[in-house]
Amino acid sequence: MSTGQRATAVMLLICAVCGAVGLTELRHALDYPEVLSAPPADTLALVREHWLAIGIGVVLAGVAAGLLLPITVGIVRLLPRGPHRPLLTVLGAATAGAHLTGLLFWLITVPALARRAAVPTQADHATAVFDTARTLFGVMIGEVLACLLTASWTVALLTRAARAATPRRPPLRSALPKPAAVA
């Protein structure tokens, strides 16, 4: 096993562990994924109450998402050269970007809105902004787009890996003359 293969394997392991631990922490601290449809005022109060645990979960899930691109590059290097390489790399970057966009929303924007929602004169505005932003960044980008891209990335990598593992057979030579074979 080469150094590049070891590094990719280690990143895959770290990605899996960080993703699992991060999402488990978000499940316990924030009631993820139900929080995506919970009343906005309740969610913002929950964020103020459990910010440290939520921050740890988001950072761990973010590490997992951020590792998708270097993992993709490592896997693509193991595959035979071909026109699929840029597509797989772009798909890996888009997948990581969509996941990170959704997670950074929870790490940066939501705490600021939660603090504003604690001020009685700003609570209604902060709640309305949070509800709209949660739909766009948390649901549409972080959940829907990220999941579609993850599925596409997975299928593309597996398809290419399966093609690379399948031995190429030379075309069968027909015993018939070419015109008869075509007919």
Side-chain angles (χ1 to χ4, degrees):
M1 183 181 272
S2 73
T3 304
Q5 290 171 327
R6 281 190 189 101
T8 301
V10 168
M11 285 188 290
L12 278 165
L13 181 63
I14 292 169
C15 180
V17 170
C18 285
V21 172
L23 291 176
T24 300
E25 186 61 30
L26 289 174
R27 175 74 181 154
H28 291 295
L30 197 57
D31 199 24
Y32 173 81
E34 288 79 9
V35 70
L36 296 171
S37 59
D42 294 349
T43 301
L44 292 173
L46 194 61
V47 168
R48 284 190 305 273
E49 194 175 318
H50 299 287
W51 170 238
L52 182 60
I54 293 167
I56 290 169
V58 168
V59 167
L60 287 171
V63 168
L67 285 173
L68 290 177
L69 183 56
I71 287 169
T72 302
V73 170
I75 292 172
V76 165
R77 286 182 180 164
L78 298 174
L79 298 174
R81 297 201 181 278
H84 62 279
R85 286 178 143 197
L87 170 67
L88 292 172
T89 305
V90 167
L91 206 48
T95 302
H99 280 286
L100 288 170
T101 298
L103 290 165
L104 286 174
F105 163 71
W106 287 97
L107 189 63
I108 297 169
T109 307
V110 174
L113 290 170
R115 285 189 300 274
R116 287 185 64 201
V119 178
T121 58
Q122 298 177 0
D124 290 340
H125 181 69
T127 301
V129 169
F130 168 74
D131 198 32
T132 302
R134 173 178 59 180
T135 300
L136 176 63
F137 296 108
V139 176
M140 298 305 296
I141 295 174
E143 291 294 320
V144 176
L145 182 62
C147 288
L148 287 172
L149 286 170
T150 301
S152 301
W153 174 78
T154 303
V155 168
L157 276 175
L158 290 176
T159 301
R160 189 60 204 143
R163 284 186 186 157
T166 305
R168 301 269 183 210
R169 287 189 224 141
L172 296 175
R173 296 202 51 121
S174 175
L176 300 173
K178 281 192 180 194
V182 170

